[in-house]
Amino acid sequence: MRPVVGFIALQGILLLAGFGLLRGLGLADRGSRTIPGALGAALLLGTSAVILGLVILLVLGVQFTLLTALLLAIVLAALGFWRGRRSAQPSQSRAPPSVLAAIAAAAAAAYALYGAHAFDRLATVQDDARIWSLKGVALTDYDNLRREIFLSPFTYASHHVYPPFQPLLEALVNRAMGRLELSFFHTELWLLLIATVWAAAYLIWWRTRRPRLEQIAIAAPVVLITTPFVIASIATGYADITGSALLAVGTLTLGLWLEGAGDGHLWLGAILLAAAANTKDEDTIGAFLVLLALGVMIAVRGDRSRLRGWAGGCATWVILVAPWRVWTAAHSLTDPVQPPLPHALSPVFIIDRWSHLQSAATAIADQVVTTWSWQVSIFLAVCALALVSGTAARLAGFYLLSFGLLIASLLWLYATTSTSLAFLIPTSVYRTIDLFMVLTLFASAHILTRLLGTWDLALFRSPRRATSG
Amino acid sequence: MSFTHEVTTIVEQSLAIVFAVLVIVLALRRQPTRRRISAVSGLVVAAAVIVLAAGQVQKGIRQLRNTRKTGVSTETGRTACLAELPPSPDLFTVRIPFSLWLRTQMRAGDTYTLPSFTRPPDQLCLYLVLLPALPAVPGERPTWTIAFGSIGPAMRARIASHDSAVRVYAPGFAIQADGQR
């Protein structure tokens, strides 16, 4: 019983830190009414901020203990609540939820709980055992980056340079539960995925009075994330879906900022993208490219004040991402999968590997159609319709640019790596495409809500009836 | 499957959605203004997405049910990787039991070397199973030397001399205390 209590208590602490930070960023209103809606965003932000803080402390040589994590969470919560004590608005009084909404919420909660139950007894196998949980258990048993695991040539195959977000989260869960509970960590990953879905819906709906039809239309594409493939991915315990979900919500948050939301969205986006960048190497490049795409969209518009904000967001992201990269550079750590830099950036080098590029492109396209199929078509159609109609054209441009850059980065990684593609493609493409595919769901939901916002029956009434009415 | 075929599939599906929107706007006998296209596209895509999502949730529940069925105990879950490689004849009779026995011999902070290691399991999996004991880094004097698959000449000599620091688990599998604990 005690492990489960510890697990729930940890979620409570992370939620507290997340709520504080949301309040500090001006993304949650005062009062209890805002709490249910903001639960997902709070868990996501709390987890991201606490683990990012722990990464920095660990690299600086501070011992990783449960007490350190608790103190960090409390400090973050206190700072957030203190900063938001004046700026946060009281929650707007709203009509009580309808019976339909209550049933939908209960069904969603039951689905989430059933998933948590389904994932709590899974075996630790494949790369999860050899990369993520190996480091996670080492961080559970020891309070520092033990050289026998994180630096030894004997553990080279566990990819020393891979960022420690997921192993640290796994260790934190184990410590909170009071013992090693590797199988239970899949439940944590599931909750994090549910939190991303919840957070996306909250961020799109927040402080808007959307009609119910529109809300359902937003929720549905986000629900598509729970495809059987994603569920299978969580069952493996790999970090791909964790990083991709963080990257996708971070990008969505920046999309909201691009269309005029407050600066709190920008800082939230920077934190989530930093968390993604601390999860997997592909996400580090992906987060950088998303920030680049945002900069391009702002520069095209020539909005100088937003450009300054963007620079601040980028600086925050760099500060949060740099510690781990500095640590790996300081220990001269390399990885067999990483492209050989700087040669890999040369066009001649890439052209020389044209056959690799073709193989990777075919494998990626095949996986997208096989496992995600209509999701990518819906995203492209929604973007095309937004561009044609002029509604949310800039938003569609941002998401399309990010999508294109993420695909290009993945192709570049596969084309330039010195690891054999005969091994790499069948063992990784099916999950690395999450990098850009999860984004398509949140982006579709966001653009769709803008398209639905233009609905007006009067547009389709006959002129005579319209004037007489 | 070729790249062209896959991309064509995606483009065709995307165009089908765009085409459906335009057909509906025209069917309403209205000039396809930008605002009308926007409004209709929102509804059409939302409807398509809701139908798709309903199917996905159903598949998701089925997948969760199947996932639940594969559940194991905490201990079995942690050591599951030991049986992942193609098995050798002695995997279940010696190698896995020996790995689990090793865990009972070593303590937190102990280090070990595997000088004569043969698979299965693979070393990374064994490192996970043996934590909190750690694989000694090169140049470090380990607490233990583990023979996994074959016993080297030095350890064999110590076994022959009945050295109490060496414990043999099975032919080819032994552990030797080397350093301070």
Side-chain angles (χ1 to χ4, degrees):
Chain A
M1 193 61 194
R2 195 216 149 191
V4 179
V5 172
F7 181 82
I8 293 168
L10 175 67
Q11 307 310 315
I13 292 290
L14 295 174
L15 277 170
L16 183 73
F19 266 117
L21 290 171
L22 277 179
R23 190 75 70 75
L25 294 173
L27 295 173
D29 296 327
R30 268 187 285 137
S32 57
R33 277 172 180 272
T34 194
I35 292 175
L39 273 175
L43 185 61
L44 202 60
L45 178 56
T47 306
S48 299
V50 169
I51 299 295
L52 283 173
L54 288 173
V55 171
I56 294 170
L57 292 175
L58 203 57
V59 166
L60 291 174
V62 177
Q63 289 182 344
F64 165 56
T65 63
L66 189 58
L67 184 65
T68 318
L70 288 177
L71 286 175
L72 181 62
I74 290 167
V75 167
L76 289 172
L79 282 173
F81 283 119
W82 176 77
R83 193 178 180 280
R85 72 195 188 287
R86 284 181 191 160
S87 56
Q89 298 174 8
S91 57
Q92 297 160 0
S93 60
R94 291 185 181 185
S98 65
V99 176
L100 189 67
I103 292 170
Y111 185 60
L113 285 174
Y114 182 64
H117 179 59
F119 282 115
D120 70 359
R121 293 166 64 84
L122 293 182
T124 304
V125 291
Q126 299 177 21
D127 278 3
D128 179 20
R130 293 159 182 90
I131 300 173
W132 308 109
S133 287
L134 175 64
K135 295 173 185 176
V137 174
L139 284 168
T140 308
D141 290 331
Y142 298 98
D143 55 15
N144 57 60
L145 296 162
R146 289 293 300 220
R147 61 185 178 140
E148 292 89 347
I149 299 295
F150 289 90
L151 295 170
S152 169
F154 296 134
T155 54
Y156 181 68
S158 72
H159 302 281
H160 292 148
V161 298
Y162 279 12
F165 185 93
Q166 187 154 311
L168 258 174
L169 180 59
E170 183 163 7
L172 186 59
V173 170
N174 285 331
R175 282 170 184 261
M177 295 181 82
R179 66 180 193 210
L180 274 182
E181 285 285 352
L182 297 190
S183 54
F184 220 86
F185 184 60
H186 298 96
T187 298
E188 177 69 25
L189 294 180
W190 169 254
L191 288 182
L192 216 54
L193 181 76
I194 295 294
T196 61
V197 175
W198 200 335
Y202 171 75
L203 290 166
I204 296 173
W205 286 339
W206 190 62
R207 280 193 184 155
T208 56
R209 291 170 179 277
R210 310 270 194 203
R212 186 138 299 135
L213 175 70
E214 207 177 310
Q215 293 182 13
I216 294 167
I218 295 165
V222 180
V223 165
L224 284 175
I225 198 174
T226 54
T227 57
F229 165 72
V230 170
I231 291 170
S233 184
I234 292 174
T236 63
Y238 290 180
D240 300 79
I241 197 71
T242 312
S244 304
L246 287 164
L247 183 74
V249 186
T251 309
L252 168 75
T253 313
L254 295 182
L256 287 158
W257 183 73
L258 182 68
E259 63 167 5
D263 282 348
H265 288 81
L266 175 67
W267 308 126
L268 174 62
I271 293 169
L272 293 177
L273 289 186
N278 273 283
T279 306
K280 282 206 81 186
D281 279 353
E282 299 93 288
D283 297 304
T284 310
I285 300 169
F288 169 77
L289 292 174
V290 166
L291 284 167
L292 191 69
L294 181 70
V296 168
M297 297 309 294
I298 296 166
V300 166
R301 203 185 181 194
D303 187 339
R304 288 196 173 188
S305 67
R306 288 255 141 176
L307 212 50
R308 274 196 296 276
W310 171 79
C314 289
T316 307
W317 182 79
V318 169
I319 289 166
L320 294 173
V321 173
W324 178 254
R325 299 295 163 187
V326 170
W327 188 83
T328 55
H331 289 89
S332 306
L333 296 178
T334 55
D335 194 81
V337 181
Q338 280 182 338
L341 290 170
H343 310 294
L345 291 170
S346 155
V348 177
F349 185 88
I350 295 168
I351 291 167
D352 194 42
R353 293 181 160 236
W354 187 249
S355 61
H356 288 222
L357 202 62
Q358 279 182 314
S359 305
T362 305
I364 287 172
D366 184 40
Q367 277 302 320
V368 166
V369 171
T370 309
T371 53
W372 293 86
S373 180
W374 276 94
Q375 281 89 328
V376 74
S377 305
I378 286 170
F379 168 70
L380 293 174
V382 164
C383 286
L385 289 164
L387 289 169
V388 168
S389 67
T391 305
R394 205 153 68 98
L395 200 59
F398 167 61
Y399 286 133
L400 273 176
L401 184 58
S402 302
F403 177 75
L405 287 172
L406 291 177
I407 293 177
S409 73
L410 206 55
L411 284 172
W412 174 75
L413 283 169
Y414 278 111
T416 57
T417 182
S418 50
T419 307
S420 162
L421 288 191
F423 163 75
L424 215 51
I425 285 179
T427 55
S428 69
V429 168
Y430 71 93
R431 52 190 164 85
T432 52
I433 59 166
D434 291 356
L435 180 72
F436 57 87
M437 281 312 303
V438 180
L439 167 69
T440 63
L441 304 175
F442 295 135
S444 300
H446 189 189
I447 299 171
L448 196 54
T449 187
R450 292 289 309 277
L451 291 174
L452 280 164
T454 61
W455 173 255
D456 185 353
L457 207 57
L459 281 170
F460 298 94
R461 285 200 185 116
S462 64
R464 201 173 45 175
R465 281 187 62 188
T467 48
S468 64
Chain B
M1 288 295 167
S2 72
F3 177 73
T4 318
H5 179 265
E6 307 296 8
V7 171
T8 307
T9 305
I10 293 168
V11 171
E12 279 174 358
Q13 289 176 348
S14 306
L15 286 177
I17 296 169
V18 175
F19 188 67
V21 170
L22 294 177
V23 165
I24 290 173
V25 172
L26 292 171
L28 290 167
R29 293 180 186 176
R30 295 286 174 269
Q31 192 75 14
T33 62
R34 286 180 148 203
R35 187 128 186 253
R36 283 188 181 131
I37 291 173
S38 173
V40 170
S41 58
L43 280 185
V44 169
V45 179
V49 154
I50 288 166
V51 171
L52 268 174
Q56 293 290 3
V57 170
Q58 212 173 15
K59 284 183 196 168
I61 291 170
R62 206 178 309 135
Q63 180 82 21
L64 286 176
R65 205 181 303 133
N66 292 338
T67 303
R68 179 70 195 159
K69 284 179 191 163
T70 61
V72 292
S73 71
T74 301
E75 188 52 34
T76 309
R78 184 184 170 182
T79 57
C81 65
L82 290 172
E84 276 192 299
L85 290 186
S88 66
D90 59 350
L91 178 67
F92 293 99
T93 52
V94 180
R95 288 171 181 266
I96 292 178
F98 178 59
S99 305
L100 300 176
W101 178 76
L102 283 175
R103 291 174 63 189
T104 64
Q105 304 302 306
M106 297 187 286
R107 294 186 303 199
D110 284 2
T111 56
Y112 56 85
T113 52
L114 294 157
S116 51
F117 179 83
T118 59
R119 287 149 60 107
D122 58 296
Q123 276 172 295
L124 287 179
C125 169
L126 195 61
Y127 295 157
L128 170 73
V129 172
L130 296 185
L131 272 166
L134 296 157
V137 291
E140 182 189 45
R141 183 180 157 81
T143 323
W144 303 93
T145 298
I146 298 169
F148 204 107
S150 66
I151 295 175
M155 195 185 285
R156 221 178 300 137
R158 292 179 71 166
I159 294 168
S161 64
H162 302 287
D163 188 336
S164 61
V166 184
R167 271 168 283 168
V168 179
Y169 183 83
F173 297 85
I175 184 170
Q176 171 188 302
D178 288 325
Q180 292 293 314
R181 295 183 68 176

